[in-house]
Amino acid sequence: MNDDNPFLNHAELIDYAAVRIEHLQPAIEQVIADNRAALHAIIADQRELPTWDDLVLAVDALDARLNNTFYNIAPLSYRPGEWQTVAYQCWDLVQAYFAEKLQNVELLSLYERLAGSAHGMNLDWQSKAALQRTITSSRLSGAHLSNVQSERVQALEQRISMLQDTFVENVNRSSDDWSLHVMDEQRLLGVPELDKAAMAASATDRNLNGWLISLEEAPYLAVIERAQDRDLREQVYRAYLTRGASPDPDFDNAGVLQALAKAKQEKARLLGFDSFAQYNLQLKGGASPERVLAFLKDLARQARPGLERERQHLQNAAQQQGLAPFQPWDVAYMRKQMDHTPLRLSEDDVRACFSLDTVVKALVDLAHRLFGLVLTKVPAVATWDPGVRLFEVVQDHALLGYLYIDAIGREGKPSDGAWTFYIWNRHIDAEGKYHQSAAAAFTNVAPGQGTAPPLLSHLDLCKLFHEFGHCLHHLMVRTSNYHLGDIQKLGPGGFEIASKLLERWCWSAQYLADISAHYQSGKPLTVEAMQTFLDQLQAQERAKLAVDLAKALFDLDLHGNPDDGRSVLQRVEDSFVEAGAWPLADFERPLHAFDHLVAGYDAGYFGYLWADVYAFDLFSRFEQEGLLNRQTGRELQDELFAPGAARPIQTGVEAFLKRPSSALPFLRWYGLIAG
């Protein structure tokens, strides 16, 4: 063992100042080698009489060590160059090890013998739940298959991995190959000043004058929603809506998605399921495909009349402004133009009042006031980047673990999106030692420009609150079992519930006004002005809902029956029509860059909507009892967060609400029903 490798000899937190690139892969290889040897010894020792401590907890400890090692390495994949390559190689090694372990027939047999033994029958309910989850995961990974079938599953998994990489490469290639260099500032009339400053900084980075528009989310939205230059909007819209598309079939993601779906379908059928959707929903602890489809179709049915009314309203307004014929690149612009509310704030006005420091302070305060969590900065330990903030998390004088916030975009970090890493899971091992949890939230707030610090748009706020919700959920789990502490095992609808709930505070004018402070003067926004701004944004959320519905319907359709003869393009069109989304132009390929399908949300994208319906209902209790009510917050933790993956999420929701859950708050907020 290399005593100098920080990934092999850390007691708690990694000191990233001591990390060198040559530490990464040797650490993973060493842990995997140790795990294989230990697993072999555990199986030999447990053949006669498998027990909870010496089988389940012993193997869990091996899983924990490898996961902890890798997820301490994972943030280094956002350093440019060779760091990313090596980190991905580590990921491949970890995935291969876990696939091998899950398909270990002898290990599965020991788990099943334990579950059926007198010892297994007398375990407490959480231990029984954890053991059953472990057995199910092994069977769903093919541990029960014949050698021939197992070899075919492994080949399919390799093909799926290769196709997923190709999908991402096609999106990145088309995005990286396109940018628009603007020299005439008149073309940017209407674009918020902070977005223009970011475009100017992008140009400077390329040794150019003027402004450079890329296909990242922030500049795209700034242009498509605000630019008065219709030709500019068209150029950017066409480029953004054709990411991942190409006349060359080798670089077009329609074929990649179709091939992916067929490979997953074959794998699912080898494992005994009718479809990949059915297989994946069982694997992730979700509902049946039929129940999910009924949920989506019902939501689409209720949304469609309002969307059709809005479409006609926008077309009439566009005609009055001379935008004829009305084009796809006019839609978002017209939605913004439709608002004539007094006291309207601009995007620049709002962003100026939400510096990153202000927002992080508000998150720390929210965690304390709602849940009694005390987040204290840990300055003495170096993180993977100087811009990352590290907090120690304490509740009731007990250390729960640690929280990293990596909020600012930089070279090497994915340019769009937001995500969370679950670095350590809380658990108690066979010796009774308590292991803390740790999580890291990632977003892409634009760096500060000039004398201005990093400033957050409302979308940035929602993303950061969303990921903070994931982290809080993870940190507030109270189960003692390693795998029940993995909130991702709650399934798509349960896994997203805390993050969707935290977003609701970003739609409270009172709350946002209270935490706002202009980065120069310190002056807060008024509740009235904030409310008019949110009203304007809320009017546009229905269109986003329609697109999310279309994506969820497409996802379930593609992974439910990929062999029915319909093309990917036909499925996309069908899903957009069913969702009541804006009709697609013939050139649009909106789901060719739908990267959730290769990032673990395949046959699971519906979870965002499912969790959102729950979140609105949960938030209604805070609206009644106080947005910062400590007692309500602690009840939420006790009923919803503390059990981890030990019980279905709906059980926790209804225990907290003290009634069956309801979709009415969600439907009312979106204007889908009166009241």
Side-chain angles (χ1 to χ4, degrees):
M1 180 181 292
N2 183 353
D3 292 336
D4 296 328
N5 193 321
F7 295 110
L8 294 175
N9 294 284
H10 67 91
E12 289 187 349
L13 296 169
I14 295 290
D15 178 6
Y16 284 91
V19 170
R20 301 190 304 274
I21 196 166
E22 57 265 28
H23 289 143
L24 277 60
Q25 190 161 332
I28 292 295
E29 290 172 343
Q30 181 67 60
V31 174
I32 288 175
D34 292 346
N35 275 16
R36 284 196 174 112
L39 188 61
H40 180 77
I42 290 168
I43 291 172
D45 177 70
Q46 291 290 290
R47 282 193 181 109
E48 186 173 341
L49 182 64
T51 66
W52 173 259
D53 283 1
D54 294 332
L55 174 64
V56 179
L57 294 189
V59 176
D60 285 356
L62 302 182
D63 291 351
R65 186 179 179 219
L66 182 53
N67 277 326
N68 291 2
T69 304
F70 174 73
Y71 281 104
N72 277 313
I73 287 172
L76 298 172
S77 66
Y78 305 136
R79 290 180 177 177
E82 192 179 355
W83 287 92
Q84 185 178 85
T85 301
V86 175
Y88 282 144
Q89 289 169 347
C90 291
W91 170 247
D92 290 340
L93 291 170
V94 171
Q95 289 295 94
Y97 167 81
F98 278 120
E100 169 192 311
K101 193 208 84 169
L102 285 168
Q103 292 167 10
N104 188 312
V105 177
E106 194 167 9
L107 181 61
L108 172 60
S109 175
L110 290 176
Y111 283 132
E112 291 177 331
R113 281 175 56 201
L114 173 59
S117 70
H119 179 53
M121 298 289 190
N122 288 321
L123 292 171
D124 63 83
W125 73 271
Q126 286 203 15
S127 298
K128 286 180 179 178
L131 180 55
Q132 191 54 53
R133 279 185 176 274
T134 300
I135 291 170
T136 299
S137 294
S138 291
R139 294 190 68 81
L140 291 177
S141 296
H144 62 294
L145 298 179
S146 68
N147 288 338
V148 172
Q149 290 173 318
S150 182
E151 288 174 4
R152 181 56 184 161
V153 167
Q154 291 175 31
L156 287 167
E157 286 173 346
Q158 291 174 358
R159 175 161 172 74
I160 288 166
S161 179
M162 180 198 70
L163 288 166
Q164 289 174 335
D165 289 344
T166 301
F167 183 95
V168 174
E169 289 166 5
N170 287 345
V171 176
N172 291 342
R173 182 185 299 107
S174 57
S175 298
D176 294 344
D177 287 350
W178 190 94
S179 61
L180 184 62
H181 184 206
V182 177
M183 289 295 294
D184 182 1
E185 190 171 6
Q186 290 295 111
R187 297 202 72 192
L188 298 175
L189 282 176
V191 174
E193 290 301 319
L194 287 170
D195 290 299
K196 284 172 59 178
M199 294 172 190
S202 295
T204 300
D205 289 343
R206 301 269 193 96
N207 296 316
L208 298 171
N209 295 320
W211 300 263
L212 194 68
I213 303 171
S214 66
L215 292 185
E216 296 172 9
E217 185 179 41
Y220 165 73
L221 290 175
V223 170
I224 206 66
E225 292 180 348
R226 289 299 186 185
Q228 296 175 18
D229 187 322
R230 197 182 190 195
D231 290 338
L232 178 65
R233 295 201 307 271
E234 179 180 0
Q235 283 180 274
V236 174
Y237 187 89
R238 283 182 177 274
Y240 194 82
L241 269 294
T242 52
R243 291 171 302 147
S246 172
D248 186 338
D250 291 338
F251 300 127
D252 188 83
N253 275 343
V256 178
L257 286 175
Q258 186 69 35
L260 261 172
K262 288 189 174 184
K264 292 174 185 177
Q265 181 85 337
E266 183 181 349
K267 174 186 170 181
R269 286 180 173 166
L270 281 168
L271 292 166
F273 294 88
D274 293 334
S275 69
F276 179 77
Q278 185 187 64
Y279 159 78
N280 214 31
L281 286 171
Q282 181 167 339
L283 181 66
K284 295 176 178 178
S288 68
E290 293 76 18
R291 186 181 173 199
V292 173
L293 185 60
F295 163 76
L296 294 174
K297 285 181 174 290
D298 189 53
L299 210 52
R301 177 185 59 78
Q302 295 180 81
R304 200 176 300 113
L307 291 167
E308 290 172 353
R309 287 194 299 271
E310 184 210 36
R311 185 180 308 140
Q312 189 59 53
H313 188 45
L314 282 176
Q315 288 173 329
N316 293 341
Q319 189 171 12
Q320 292 174 8
Q321 291 197 20
L323 294 178
F326 195 40
Q327 300 287 1
W329 47 88
D330 299 324
V331 176
Y333 177 76
M334 279 306 305
R335 285 198 181 102
K336 286 290 187 183
Q337 297 302 307
M338 293 293 291
D339 182 66
H340 301 291
T341 310
L343 300 175
R344 187 173 113 187
L345 295 169
S346 70
E347 280 87 347
D348 286 333
D349 293 333
V350 172
R351 274 190 282 202
C353 293
F354 293 99
S355 70
L356 182 58
D357 285 344
T358 295
V359 175
V360 171
K361 180 181 177 183
L363 289 171
V364 169
D365 181 66
L366 183 63
H368 178 65
R369 297 182 70 176
L370 277 183
F371 306 111
L373 299 177
V374 178
L375 275 64
T376 306
K377 285 196 74 172
V378 183
V381 179
T383 58
W384 51 84
D385 184 86
V388 177
R389 303 161 195 243
L390 170 61
F391 296 90
E392 176 186 83
V393 183
V394 170
Q395 187 179 50
D396 300 332
H397 307 291
L399 177 63
L400 301 186
Y402 298 92
L403 168 63
Y404 294 89
I405 297 180
D406 186 346
I408 303 174
R410 60 180 179 274
E411 183 185 2
K413 198 174 176 185
S415 58
D416 283 333
W419 60 99
T420 294
F421 283 160
Y422 305 99
I423 299 175
W424 310 335
N425 286 8
R426 168 199 162 98
H427 64 286
I428 298 172
D429 63 24
E431 283 71 45
K433 180 183 177 182
Y434 167 64
H435 295 259
Q436 298 135 1
S437 57
F442 296 84
T443 62
N444 274 289
V445 177
Q449 302 294 331
T451 60
L455 300 172
L456 280 72
S457 66
H458 187 264
L459 180 60
D460 291 327
L461 278 171
C462 289
K463 288 180 178 180
L464 188 51
F465 272 68
H466 182 104
E467 302 309 324
F468 191 71
H470 277 312
C471 292
L472 291 187
H473 191 174
H474 181 70
L475 286 159
M476 290 192 287
V477 165
R478 288 291 176 274
T479 179
S480 60
N481 179 266
Y482 178 77
H483 288 293
L484 292 182
D486 181 0
I487 62 172
Q488 296 173 94
K489 288 183 166 60
L490 282 165
F495 170 53
E496 292 292 343
I497 196 167
S499 50
K500 281 294 190 178
L501 176 59
L502 262 287
E503 282 188 50
R504 299 322 309 157
W505 271 263
C506 296
W507 290 95
S508 165
Q510 182 68 64
Y511 175 74
L512 290 183
D514 286 346
I515 69 171
S516 65
H518 194 281
Y519 77 92
Q520 291 174 315
S521 68
K523 183 179 179 181
L525 295 167
T526 66
V527 176
E528 294 77 16
M530 194 71 240
Q531 188 63 63
T532 60
F533 180 79
L534 291 178
D535 288 344
Q536 176 194 353
L537 293 183
Q538 187 175 343
Q540 300 164 49
E541 287 299 298
R542 193 181 297 154
K544 295 178 184 177
L545 170 63
V547 173
D548 275 344
L549 267 170
K551 288 179 176 180
L553 287 163
F554 170 79
D555 175 28
L556 205 62
D557 179 28
L558 179 66
H559 293 110
N561 188 9
D563 299 319
D564 65 0
R566 287 180 301 142
S567 69
V568 166
L569 295 182
Q570 184 60 58
R571 293 178 196 277
V572 172
E573 184 178 342
D574 290 347
S575 66
F576 270 68
V577 169
E578 173 129 30
W582 202 276
L584 297 173
D586 58 2
F587 68 87
E588 290 186 66
R589 301 292 182 267
L591 302 191
H592 277 55
F594 185 18
D595 56 3
H596 282 79
L597 297 186
V598 297
Y601 282 83
D602 40 347
Y605 190 78
F606 75 91
Y608 285 108
L609 291 167
W610 196 291
D612 222 9
V613 171
Y614 279 142
F616 275 86
D617 205 13
L618 295 169
F619 190 66
S620 68
R621 188 171 161 193
F622 285 97
E623 290 178 307
Q624 294 165 8
E625 299 173 8
L627 296 189
L628 301 175
N629 188 306
R630 172 74 63 84
Q631 181 178 343
T632 311
R634 291 302 289 262
E635 282 189 47
L636 179 73
Q637 178 183 358
D638 291 343
E639 299 293 357
L640 205 66
F641 300 159
R647 69 178 186 183
I649 201 71
Q650 186 168 345
T651 304
V653 169
E654 295 184 352
F656 173 73
L657 293 172
K658 300 179 175 61
R659 59 168 171 78
S661 58
S662 170
L664 291 178
F666 175 89
L667 296 171
R668 287 195 189 101
W669 192 86
Y670 276 101
L672 303 180
I673 61 172

